[in-house]
């Protein structure tokens, strides 16, 4: 259970955990720390949502929405 619960929250005191999420999301530690402060949460979903809202990482649905909202003109 310990490993599973670790994947529900981010551990900012754990350098390996921070390194994993910065690489996975393509952000830096400062961006993650700011998202933690902004949300007041350590939950991965809250942090990721905040980073997406700030435009620091993009989800697949974000790209689909952008593609269809601004179609290229020929």
């Amino acid at each position: 259970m310990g490993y599973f619960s670790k994947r529900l929250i981010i551990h900012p005191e754990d350098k390996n955990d921070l390194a994993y999420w910065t690489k996975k999301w393509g952000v830096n530690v400062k961006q993650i720390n700011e998202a933690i402060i902004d949300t007041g949460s350590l939950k991965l979903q809250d942090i990721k949502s905040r980073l997406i809202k700030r435009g620091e990482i993009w989800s697949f649905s974000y790209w689909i929405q952008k593609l269809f909202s601004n179609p290229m003109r020929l």
Side-chain angles (χ1 to χ4, degrees):
M1 183 170 135
Y3 181 78
F4 180 73
S5 64
K6 186 173 181 176
R7 290 297 174 210
L8 295 178
I9 63 171
I10 193 165
H11 294 271
E13 75 285 356
D14 183 348
K15 290 180 183 181
N16 291 328
D17 199 38
L18 278 177
Y20 174 81
W21 293 110
T22 56
K23 184 176 180 182
K24 181 173 177 77
W25 291 337
V27 296
N28 60 42
V29 172
K30 182 180 177 188
Q31 291 169 310
I32 290 178
N33 286 333
E34 287 174 353
I36 290 169
I37 291 168
D38 289 347
T39 61
S41 174
L42 295 176
K43 293 180 183 176
L44 288 173
Q45 190 58 43
D46 295 342
I47 304 303
K48 184 177 181 182
S49 294
R50 182 64 179 157
L51 292 169
I52 290 170
K53 286 180 184 175
R54 292 178 68 182
E56 295 170 345
I57 60 174
W58 296 302
S59 66
F60 181 70
S61 60
Y62 172 85
W63 284 108
I64 297 296
Q65 179 184 6
K66 283 293 195 183
L67 178 67
F68 288 110
S69 66
N70 292 321
M72 295 175 56
R73 298 178 190 249
L74 298 175

